[in-house]
Amino acid sequence: MKRMIWAIAAATMLASSLSAETILMLRSGGDAFEEVAQSLKERLATDFTIREEIITDQLPIDKTQKLIDESKPSLVILMNNNSVKSYKAYQGSLTTGVTPIPSLSLMTALLPAQIKGMTNATGITYEVPIVTSVVNLRSMLNIETVKLGVVYREFLKPFVDENAEYCKKENIQLIRGFVPSDNSNYQDLLKKGLELLVTQKGANMIWVPNDPAFLKPEIIRDVWIPFSESHAIPIIVGVESMLSTNVNFGTYAVLPDHNALGQQAADLVYTIRDAGWKVDLSVVEPPISIYQVLNPKKINKKYKIDEATVEVDKVVK
């Protein structure tokens, strides 16, 4: 009898796995991506077949096409900028009138700009509104008036404008400097812009958007680290690695909780399935659960922080 029950259960599980719809996941390697992916898989594994592909660079269109043809997914989950770029290029190659397989993007810097022009696409932003970080840090450091400086490429203007409105409601002055998006001399312009913001415009905090062009290893080495060593000014970043001891130029970050982000993405998968695998293009969600990380090393000379009492989730030692 036990053997029969086991056989029936096994047959049921096999039939379920054979009939389960497939989700294709394109993502980066690394601990953060693994944590989000694991959270997603734990929630989805009983209802879907999940195929993962770890990629480091943008895929050629024919490679993306091959992955689609092999897995025949009902949904594509995209987890990094190169995954989004790969699928966006693939979408652009489709014959007019063909409805693309829906995509859900997360763990992607500046997501609304990245998926602009895509169809049947939605996602969860990685960036927490900057006002959250500024208000928290303002209280933590007892800064009465905040002048928040930011240097950004021109294509980020809508993103910066949106955050400026949030800041205005909290009496936070945003001081801006932008460089043309097609300019190749980013390093010098960023360096000069940061110095101008601090020495002439009076910025007393700096915001670093997640723009890959401004976060290349050589720019971190030659611009951000020297700037952080020359000025005891809080620098708000959007990636935890910028606070780590081997990089060590950021002061503070408010980031999505990766486990919760996976759960949030899984909820969206079920919502998309229940809608017949169609995506509401108006919906790009913010992360629902966040955590705070503080690296006080570069600003300790100017701001005395009691690490034992400060209310953050993690302090970099």
Side-chain angles (χ1 to χ4, degrees), residues 48 264-280 283 285:
F48 303 96
Q264 183 180 354
D267 288 341
L268 265 177
V269 170
Y270 285 108
T271 298
I272 295 168
R273 183 195 65 178
D274 293 345
W277 299 110
K278 294 180 182 178
V279 168
D280 183 347
V283 178
E285 295 186 357

Side-chain angles (χ1 to χ4, degrees), residues 145-268:
T145 301
V146 173
K147 293 184 177 181
L148 180 67
V150 59
V151 179
Y152 61 96
R153 289 197 289 164
E154 194 171 4
F155 85 99
L156 285 179
K157 185 177 184 300
F159 174 69
V160 174
D161 285 346
E162 179 183 7
N163 279 272
E165 288 300 312
Y166 298 143
C167 287
K168 187 177 181 181
K169 294 175 182 177
E170 292 290 339
N171 297 315
I172 298 162
Q173 183 180 350
L174 188 63
I175 306 171
R176 316 179 189 207
F178 72 83
V179 299
S181 293
D182 58 353
N183 194 299
S184 60
N185 193 24
Y186 294 139
Q187 182 163 317
D188 286 344
L189 291 173
L190 175 61
K191 185 176 182 179
K192 291 175 182 176
L194 289 170
E195 290 295 328
L196 179 67
L197 290 177
V198 174
T199 60
Q200 297 187 33
K201 301 294 185 179
N204 58 1
M205 278 190 200
I206 295 294
W207 170 27
V208 186
N210 290 332
D211 183 349
F214 281 176
L215 293 172
K216 294 178 179 179
E218 62 271 22
I219 293 182
I220 291 173
R221 181 193 64 220
D222 296 335
V223 178
W224 286 113
I225 292 177
F227 175 80
S228 71
E229 291 172 346
S230 299
H231 302 281
I233 183 171
I235 300 174
I236 300 172
V237 296
V239 182
E240 187 170 351
S241 60
M242 301 298 105
L243 300 158
S244 64
T245 52
N246 60 325
V247 177
N248 194 27
F249 80 81
T251 305
Y252 180 73
V254 177
L255 305 165
D257 177 275
H258 290 150
N259 182 67
L261 186 61
Q263 295 292 308
Q264 183 180 354
D267 288 341
L268 265 177

